[in-house]
Amino acid sequence: MRAWSELFRVSALFSVPGDALAGAAAVGRGPGRGTAFAVGASLCLYEAGMALNDWADREEDAVDRPHRPIPSGRVSPAAALGAAGVLTAAGLALAARAGRPALAVATGLAATVWAYDLRLKHTKAGPAAMAAARSLDLLLGATAAGSGTAATARGGADNVAAPGGFVRDALPAALVLGAHTYGVTAVSRHEAQGGSTAVPLAVLATTAALGTAVLTAGRAARTQGPGEHRPTRPHHLTPADLLLTAFTGAYLRTAGPPLLRAALNPSPPLTQRAVGGGIRAMIPLQAALAARNGAPGSGLAVMALVPLARALARKVSPT
């Protein structure tokens, strides 16, 4: 169990459910049956990527990380590859239960995960591929929630007209999450050897810009009157504003300090902590995106995962 927990990096799992909840909020839907299937599909595909990553890196890990489950002999390469295949199939099956649009997005997500682990990880396209995977995961939640609602309204038939609209509505949130993921992945490329000061500094600046964008966009959305061309109206702070501010602050507080320490001392341990902080920071970022799109309850539910992720990270490293 310990070996498989390390292979799957189970402490990082808590960064996954918020993708579906933020995606549902982005299209104006509350969590429902489709969201549950999207969460299940996301978890399976995420863990498939973790197992496949260690299988693909088994020779490199034998030199740089001999304690990892495969090079240490605690998990066989065949078992890790088999787990990746089974989990991918399970993820696609769960996505199919949420409708054909969700299955289409999940198929793209699975293809991106396998392409990243087997081919793109050590190329310049690696961070972009990982960013695309996270963006697609949020879009999976959006299409699952949206098409599920539409199917219910039409007596159970799959919605074939609206998926493009769901993707368009959720795209801003998906791009924010993708930009954060790009930065975390760029830092992670130095976690074994360290030595990079410029990358953590650049990602720290990006983190600050993303936090500002989420906060200002959320307030702007609530100060705008109904109708595209109507003037803005005076706005007073609401509980939703306070939650959005708290979630955004938690995002900056989780991701920022480890990045700064890694920039000041780019050693492997501090770089790995910056990567771990970036992974955990996805949770308050997802909460902020949900609150920004009018779903503070979903944001609170996502934030409830933070102490669980922090506690488990002390036992199993997320990197």
Side-chain angles (χ1 to χ4, degrees):
M1 289 297 295
R2 175 75 184 186
W4 283 98
S5 296
E6 292 177 12
L7 182 80
F8 288 137
R9 296 169 178 83
V10 293
S11 62
L13 268 180
F14 296 103
S15 72
V16 177
D19 289 347
L21 292 172
V27 296
R29 303 289 193 268
R33 179 175 177 271
T35 306
F37 283 127
V39 169
S42 296
L43 291 170
C44 287
L45 294 176
Y46 187 85
E47 292 293 50
M50 290 297 172
L52 185 64
N53 175 80
D54 273 27
W55 179 84
D57 286 352
R58 62 194 184 279
E59 295 180 0
E60 176 185 333
D61 285 347
V63 176
D64 294 331
R65 305 179 186 89
H67 61 279
R68 293 293 302 159
I70 293 179
S72 66
R74 292 176 293 153
V75 174
S76 71
L81 182 60
V86 170
L87 286 166
T88 298
L92 294 176
L94 287 169
R97 297 293 303 275
R100 284 179 290 180
L103 176 59
V105 175
T107 301
L109 172 57
T112 303
V113 168
W114 280 72
Y116 172 82
D117 284 332
L118 297 182
R119 181 67 178 174
L120 301 177
K121 180 178 180 179
H122 298 294
T123 71
K124 292 182 178 180
M130 185 59 73
R134 270 290 175 172
S135 295
L136 285 169
D137 201 33
L138 189 145
L139 294 178
L140 171 59
T143 53
S147 60
T149 303
T152 300
R154 295 178 55 185
D158 279 337
N159 178 31
V160 296
F166 298 143
V167 170
R168 183 176 60 250
D169 291 343
L171 193 57
L175 290 176
V176 168
L177 190 60
H180 173 79
T181 305
Y182 187 101
V184 175
T185 308
V187 174
S188 74
R189 292 160 77 89
H190 302 276
E191 65 179 340
Q193 290 83 23
S196 174
T197 294
V199 173
L201 279 177
V203 175
L204 180 61
T206 301
T207 298
L210 290 175
T212 302
V214 170
L215 191 60
T216 56
R219 288 177 176 172
R222 285 189 290 280
T223 57
Q224 183 68 39
E228 293 182 3
H229 304 293
R230 297 191 182 185
T232 59
R233 59 177 182 264
H235 178 68
H236 303 286
L237 285 177
T238 66
D241 290 320
L242 297 177
L243 280 177
L244 176 60
T245 302
F247 296 157
T248 305
Y251 164 63
L252 296 173
R253 189 167 58 252
T254 304
L259 284 169
L260 180 58
R261 286 191 287 269
L264 295 175
N265 179 11
S267 63
L270 290 181
T271 303
Q272 291 167 14
R273 290 176 189 173
V275 175
I279 293 172
R280 291 192 300 275
M282 289 180 184
I283 300 176
L285 178 58
Q286 294 157 346
L289 291 171
R292 185 186 75 170
N293 287 299
S298 292
L300 288 170
V302 173
M303 284 299 292
L305 300 174
V306 169
L308 298 175
R310 185 180 296 117
L312 196 55
R314 297 189 185 103
K315 299 180 179 180
V316 180
S317 173
T319 67

